[in-house]
């Protein structure tokens, strides 16, 4: 995949979830992680004070911010997901049934 395709793919995915769904902070707000509606990384915001943190403090702040952002994601709508899967499965079964019926009629003609 070339750079243009990667950019186009990223642009398409961000349009589909063009909002910040969850924010997590670490080190008292020095590090902020923003996730989009699909739970993907939207942005990493670093306060200039981040330069005052040690490597271990920065690592901890990043983990805290990521964990908080993930925990703040809205729970998926289980019932809607099951309904979507059920509808898709019913549609596929109907298509398969139609093909089998057609094959059965063709076999009967021979």
């Amino acid at each position: 995949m070339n750079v243009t395709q990667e950019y186009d793919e990223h642009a398409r995915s961000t349009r589909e979830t063009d909002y910040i769904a969850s924010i997590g902070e670490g080190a008292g707000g020095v590090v902020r992680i923003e996730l989009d509606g699909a739970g993907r990384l939207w942005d990493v915001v670093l306060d200039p004070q981040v330069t005052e943190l040690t490597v271990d403090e920065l690592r901890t702040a990043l983990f805290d911010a990521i964990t908080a952002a993930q925990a703040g994601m809205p729970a998926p709508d289980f019932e809607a997901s099951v309904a979507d899967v059920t509808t898709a499965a019913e549609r596929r079964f109907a298509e398969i049934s139609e093909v089998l019926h057609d094959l059965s009629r063709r076999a009967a003609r021979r």
Side-chain angles (χ1 to χ4, degrees), residues 17 19 21 34 38 45 49 51 56 58 67 72 88 91 99 102:
T17 55
Y19 63 97
E34 299 173 350
V45 181
Q49 292 177 332
T51 59
D56 287 337
L58 178 58
T67 302
R91 186 172 39 251
V99 169
D102 288 344

Side-chain angles (χ1 to χ4, degrees), residues 26-70:
V30 174
V31 174
R32 187 172 74 223
I33 298 294
E34 299 173 350
L35 302 178
D36 71 9
R40 292 184 302 254
L41 183 64
W42 179 270
D43 199 3
V44 176
V45 181
L46 302 174
D47 187 280
Q49 292 177 332
V50 76
T51 59
E52 298 172 13
L53 299 177
T54 66
V55 172
D56 287 337
E57 290 171 334
L58 178 58
R59 181 179 180 277
T60 300
L62 285 166
F63 270 95
D64 291 347
I66 292 167
T67 302
Q70 290 172 334

Side-chain angles (χ1 to χ4, degrees), residues 68-87:
Q70 290 172 334
M73 285 297 295
D77 185 357
F78 181 74
E79 289 180 13
S81 296
V82 169
D84 290 344
V85 169
T86 301
T87 300

